[in-house]
Amino acid sequence: MKLYGIVGWKNTGKTGLVERLVTEIVGRGLTVSTIKHAHHNVDIDQPGRDSYRHRAAGAQEVLLASGRRWALMHELRDAPEPPLAALLSRLSPVDLVLVEGYKRDDHPKVEAHRAAAARDLLAATDPTVRAVASDSALSGLSVPLFDLDDTGAIADFILREVGL
């Protein structure tokens, strides 16, 4: 599986860019999965629901299945967060995995940037950032610059980078 990341500071448009890229790339006939890294306590289950009760009782993993989808929840129970490579190994094969977050990992990335965020560019110090997608003109970049809303051009760049 090919892997490409979308990184950036909070409120720079990462999720919207990933969403548009998935739509664009799937529309070109390729299969895509995503991994989203969260820095906060994420709970996709609701208190009182059966699967929540299973987890609360101490189950290590709870697989919730229906006629439309299934989801596997794995409790770390104070174990360290698994590295990205371990999570990737749990995915079914696809043409491309887009990763939102994991900005410190060594896979290639596009940085989402908004001038209003008023943060320094990751691309200035991170050689794994191969391009910047911004809502403003930036000068002095050593990597390609794309308009944050030019999804087609960003998709072209990523697909060329990974050889698809």
Side-chain angles (χ1 to χ4, degrees), residues 135-151:
D135 65 350
S136 59
L138 301 170
S139 60
L141 290 177
S142 61
V143 297
L145 174 65
F146 295 96
D147 183 294
L148 186 57
D149 293 323
D150 193 350
T151 308

Side-chain angles (χ1 to χ4, degrees), residues 44-140:
I44 61 171
D45 208 0
Q46 302 297 316
R49 304 300 293 197
D50 293 350
S51 54
Y52 182 95
R53 291 170 59 194
H54 295 184
R55 284 190 308 119
Q60 186 73 28
E61 291 187 327
V62 176
L63 195 145
L64 179 61
S66 75
R68 291 195 173 269
R69 70 189 55 88
W70 64 270
L72 178 63
M73 292 170 280
H74 181 94
E75 289 295 314
L76 292 176
R77 306 256 182 241
D78 296 323
E81 180 180 343
L84 178 58
L87 298 172
L88 286 167
S89 72
R90 299 188 68 99
L91 290 178
S92 298
V94 292
D95 296 314
L96 178 65
V97 177
L98 290 174
V99 178
E100 182 179 340
Y102 288 96
K103 67 177 149 243
R104 289 171 179 64
D105 281 50
D106 64 356
H107 58 278
K109 305 166 188 82
V110 168
E111 179 176 358
H113 172 266
R114 288 193 191 280
R119 298 290 305 257
D120 290 337
L121 284 171
L122 299 168
T125 58
D126 184 348
T128 67
V129 175
R130 305 278 174 84
V132 174
S134 181
D135 65 350
S136 59
L138 301 170
S139 60

